[in-house]
Amino acid sequence: MKVLTVVGARPQFIKAAVISPRLRQGVDEVLVHTGQHYDALMSDVFFAELNVPAPNYQLNVGSASHGEQTARMMSGLEPIFMHEAPDVVLLYGDTNSTLSGALVAAKLTIPVAHVEAGLRSFNRAMPEEINRVLTDHVADRLYCPTEGAALQLQQEGIVNGVIRSGDVMDELLLQTRRIPELLPSLQLEPQAYYLVTVHRQENTDDLDRLQGIVGALAALPGPIVWPMHPRTAKRLQEARLMDRLGPSVRRIDPVGYREMITLESQAKGVLTDSGGVQREAAALGVPVYVLRNETEWTDLVDEGRAMLVGADLGRILDAVMRSPMKPRALHLDRRPSEIIVEDLHRHY
Ligand code: UD1
Ligand code: UDP
């Protein structure tokens, strides 16, 4: 069996770290990096830290508008898919790298396997929602992280190839060691700081929302640690909002995976619009305030493990001051990577 895997953005390198090593025990895997994320701190760091195999192909597409970026990826992927002729194309999540791989494979009639299938925010203004819906509807094997995701696919008429695999991010989190010296090196005390991440287009490209978030952070009791996505750094600079953050907000560069898990696990609260970070923090039992109006991880909100707080200053402050939420028990009967790799073996 030959599997061709497409990755391109930070959370995909992290997910590949779970699947690729297991896949390579007996399977020929070709790894393609689209180049959607290219800064060393958004890409190389994860390959090195998590032992993700080096990509066989690097498309270097870089940043562009959605149409332009997706088109560049597709024209880079098509000749590779034709040359490699894989038995199946493996895709993760909901980025433009995911969608481009799905479209090219489907048109070449190569089967598509989608890890993290069935998640929905029901907000079609969100680029990720378009990417995940379209990918699921051309996928042949759909690996669902939650029961809700599998039920959603059923409601959309997708019944074949739906597998309840569990969440590969949970598997990695369970085996990740913390870095004990990290907090002292940042002069932070356990349970005495907030952790923030922001990168969603709906927040970075909407000045009202960005101002709401900045205002709330400036008003919260510090220290607040913010490993800043390059997109957000650019927007804050352009909007001249960087100085409005105030002295309690410590802006740092994006950090590695183990550093991030260490920071999440010791925080007194996590404010984020990231899918991965909200899930990890909830699993670690840390209160999560989701800086969005909806989430695709609805189970967290339904079970009271995360709170939707939008991007409105008053709403964010009010929620953070009221905190405690229930931790999500992190338990896996079977490793999602085992279920996924076994299923691929069975079908291809
Ligand atoms: C992308 C995904 C999003 C995912 C996120 C993970 C899409 C539509 N979005 O969002 O689903 O949650 O990755 O982090 O695929 N930039 C750099 N250096 C980099 C990468 C990006 O400076 O290495 C800057 C560029 O200005 C770029 C902007 O960030 O225009 C946005 O990058 P892009 O990959 O388009 O979207 P993300 O917000 O990272
Ligand atoms: N992450 C990281 N360093 C950071 C920010 C996030 O290692 O500075 C990790 C985080 O722990 C999670 C993943 O990146 O595992 C989430 O990626 P991101 O927030 O970029 O994307 P999303 O999950 O929203 O698609």
Side-chain angles (χ1 to χ4, degrees), residues 161-190:
V162 176
I163 313 292
R164 290 155 169 84
S165 61
D167 186 0
V168 294
M169 299 285 273
D170 284 351
E171 183 174 341
L172 188 62
L173 182 58
L174 277 171
Q175 68 198 38
T176 296
R177 284 173 294 113
R178 315 289 184 266
I179 306 173
E181 61 280 13
L182 181 66
L183 261 56
S185 75
L186 293 169
Q187 289 161 332
L188 294 172
E189 297 287 335

Side-chain angles (χ1 to χ4, degrees), residues 34-319:
T34 63
Q36 177 171 354
H37 285 175
Y38 44 85
D39 288 347
L41 295 179
M42 296 296 289
S43 174
D44 300 2
V45 72
F46 301 100
F47 283 84
E49 175 189 16
L50 300 174
N51 295 316
V52 182
N56 303 81
Y57 296 91
Q58 167 57 262
L59 302 183
N60 286 317
V61 298
S63 304
S65 64
H66 286 282
E68 171 79 33
Q69 188 182 53
T70 310
R72 279 188 213 158
M73 291 174 186
M74 288 177 70
S75 39
L77 290 175
E78 189 173 51
I80 297 172
F81 286 14
M82 288 166 77
H83 173 70
E84 294 287 347
D87 297 296
V88 55
V89 165
L90 180 62
L91 304 168
Y92 295 101
D94 53 21
T95 72
N96 289 347
S97 298
T98 316
L99 178 63
S100 60
L103 290 176
V104 172
K107 293 289 178 87
L108 292 172
T109 65
I110 302 171
V112 170
H114 186 206
V115 175
E116 223 172 67
L119 295 179
R120 299 288 181 265
S121 67
F122 303 101
N123 175 3
R124 289 274 171 117
M126 204 185 161
E128 291 84 356
E129 183 74 356
I130 307 296
N131 293 344
R132 32 173 115 92
V133 170
L134 295 180
T135 301
D136 282 343
H137 282 260
V138 295
D140 299 270
R141 310 302 299 166
L142 300 102
Y143 303 115
C144 298
T146 60
E147 182 60 28
L151 292 175
Q152 178 58 32
L153 290 176
Q154 203 176 29
Q155 287 198 0
E156 292 177 24
I158 303 175
V159 285
N160 292 325
V162 176
I163 313 292
R164 290 155 169 84
S165 61
D167 186 0
V168 294
M169 299 285 273
D170 284 351
E171 183 174 341
L172 188 62
L173 182 58
L174 277 171
Q175 68 198 38
T176 296
R177 284 173 294 113
R178 315 289 184 266
I179 306 173
E181 61 280 13
L182 181 66
L183 261 56
S185 75
L186 293 169
Q187 289 161 332
L188 294 172
E189 297 287 335
Q191 321 304 329
Y193 63 92
Y194 291 104
L195 177 68
V196 175
T197 81
V198 175
H199 73 271
R200 293 279 165 200
Q201 179 176 301
E202 73 209 55
N203 285 329
T204 60
D205 294 13
D206 180 324
L207 192 57
D208 282 348
R209 291 183 69 95
L210 200 54
Q211 278 172 335
I213 292 170
V214 166
L217 297 180
L220 273 180
I224 296 167
V225 188
W226 187 352
M228 201 176 276
H229 190 295
R231 164 183 211 132
T232 316
K234 280 179 198 156
R235 289 278 182 263
L236 288 173
Q237 263 144 13
E238 283 163 10
R240 298 177 193 280
L241 284 172
M242 214 54 115
D243 293 342
R244 294 256 300 274
L245 283 172
S248 61
V249 179
R250 294 200 208 151
R251 182 202 146 182
I252 58 175
D253 284 335
V255 296
Y257 178 77
R258 281 185 65 209
E259 286 172 288
M260 191 64 187
I261 298 302
T262 305
L263 285 172
E264 287 171 14
S265 63
Q266 305 272 17
K268 69 175 163 181
V270 171
L271 294 89
T272 188
D273 62 8
S274 156
V277 175
Q278 67 184 274
R279 190 123 174 105
E280 289 159 353
L284 292 163
V286 177
V288 188
Y289 309 96
V290 181
L291 300 165
R292 292 177 48 192
N293 297 343
E294 73 282 308
T295 177
E296 43 290 323
W297 296 106
T298 44
D299 54 327
L300 298 183
V301 175
D302 294 346
E303 294 163 10
R305 310 187 198 289
M307 202 186 287
L308 289 172
V309 299
D312 171 73
L313 188 152
R315 207 169 138 202
I316 297 172
L317 288 180
D318 183 51

